[in-house]
Amino acid sequence: MTNLLNFNQQQLTDYFVSIGEKPFRAKQVFRWMHYNGTLELDAMTDIAKVLREKLRQETTFTLPEVRLEQVSDDGTRKWLIGADNQKDGTNSSVETVFIPEADRGTLCVSSQVGCALECTFCSTGRQGFNRNLTVSEIIGQLWIANQSLRQEEGYNMLPNSDRIISNVVMMGMGEPLANYDNVVTAMQIMMDDHAYGLSRRRVTLSTSGLVPQMDRLKEDCPVALAVSLHAPNDKLRDEIVPINQKYPIKELMAACQRYLVKAPRDFVTFEYVMLDGVNDTAEHARQLLDIVRDVPCKFNLIPFNPFPNSGYDTSKPQQIRIFRDILMQAGYVVTVRKTRGEDIDAACGQLAGKVLDKTKRSAKFIPIEGL
Ligand code: SAH
Ligand code: SF4
């Protein structure tokens, strides 16, 4: 059986043609699935009965399973989404978070079960990596959140008339550029006018800095870009964002400059997690100004969100203010991210889901008795 939720519009068209159907049928089914949120063949009233029957035999509309939905006191919502691994038989899950604000509703979407990149301050990274999410599991998070919010809020409108979810950020669990093809296909569906119709300025991908994939993305699907910088020199970044050993700061900055040629916005957002006593001094702020000199950018300072046994503390508010002021005095736009949904563990870096590490990589951290 072919899961039709794995296809963007072009791929669905190719599939329809391959089973001897007209291309415009694909567009109709695509709209039913994503624009209308209808996954019942019998409700697709403009599709001939014969074709519906054929689709019933050969295809499915399989969404990931919602295992839990939680609502925070501040209105933030979190869904725990099943992402088991059929191959190794492990039960895993990922998380999706909706953050309502006065002027927008942002959905934070996961791209992988766990993450292989091992940033030291990230609970997802600590859990290791299990597998990539499929296209249907990525776009399924938007489908599920959209439907759930529409029911909840009593909205019954089409996505384009009044969007509850106006922005998507690929900032949940996983490194989106390490699951390149599936993430790009899912983002194409998000931006398709016959699906969710989000403009490419309203879809933001956050990466820890996979330079070759950043270069591909600017050609294939140039959405807004956020880069997880977190340290102002290679020595410290090598330690807390280990992918820096492969793509050091200078190369990363050059990739940001190249990206901006095609980007929908004329700046890159640098994310910077504030870790007490690690990367948050005035000297760090000055070094930071130096390394980003040639890249038009904004800064997003993220107070570290603690998780058990992290070994880090959140920077003191006074220290964050000093750091922010140094950047602002140099003329940069700086936001300090408000923590949302803390009571349901929905804040950045706290998304844990449930990951069974297939790589067994964490075994290397087990201390050996007697050594
Ligand atoms: N893998 C991608 C996107 C997911 S993480 C990336 O690293 O960019 C989204 C953001 O949350 C990143 O900037 C990440 O570094 C940050 N983050 C991770 N752990 C955090 C924590 N414990 N507290 C605050 N931010 C954290
Ligand atoms: Fe992976 Fe991003 Fe976490 Fe680093 S911060 S471990 S890249 S999810």
Side-chain angles (χ1 to χ4, degrees), residues 64-65 67 81-94 113 130-134 137 354-356 358:
E65 177 198 356
R67 298 205 169 137
I81 305 278
D84 298 342
N85 190 327
Q86 310 291 342
K87 286 195 187 125
D88 66 7
T90 53
N91 296 111
S92 296
S93 44
V94 297
V113 183
N130 187 280
R131 69 171 175 86
N132 282 329
L133 294 182
T134 62
E137 287 170 330
K354 182 170 169 243
V355 177
L356 290 173
K358 208 171 67 167

Side-chain angles (χ1 to χ4, degrees), residues 47-62:
I47 309 290
K49 266 221 170 87
V50 210
L51 175 54
R52 276 189 252 163
E53 218 27 68
K54 187 165 166 187
L55 292 174
R56 211 186 314 278
Q57 304 292 330
E58 297 176 16
T59 68
T60 63
F61 305 101
T62 308

Side-chain angles (χ1 to χ4, degrees), residues 109-145:
V109 169
S110 291
S111 56
Q112 297 184 306
V113 183
C115 183
L117 297 187
E118 299 193 277
C119 302
T120 52
F121 50 83
C122 171
S123 72
T124 307
R126 288 283 180 96
Q127 296 177 82
F129 173 73
N130 187 280
R131 69 171 175 86
N132 282 329
L133 294 182
T134 62
V135 174
S136 57
E137 287 170 330
I138 299 169
I139 200 66
Q141 295 172 59
L142 178 53
W143 193 99
I144 286 164

Side-chain angles (χ1 to χ4, degrees), residues 177 180 209-217 247 251 255 258:
L177 292 184
Y180 187 87
L210 300 189
V211 165
Q213 288 91 333
M214 288 167 68
D215 283 328
R216 287 177 65 194
L217 189 71
Y247 306 114
E251 285 181 35
R258 292 193 294 274

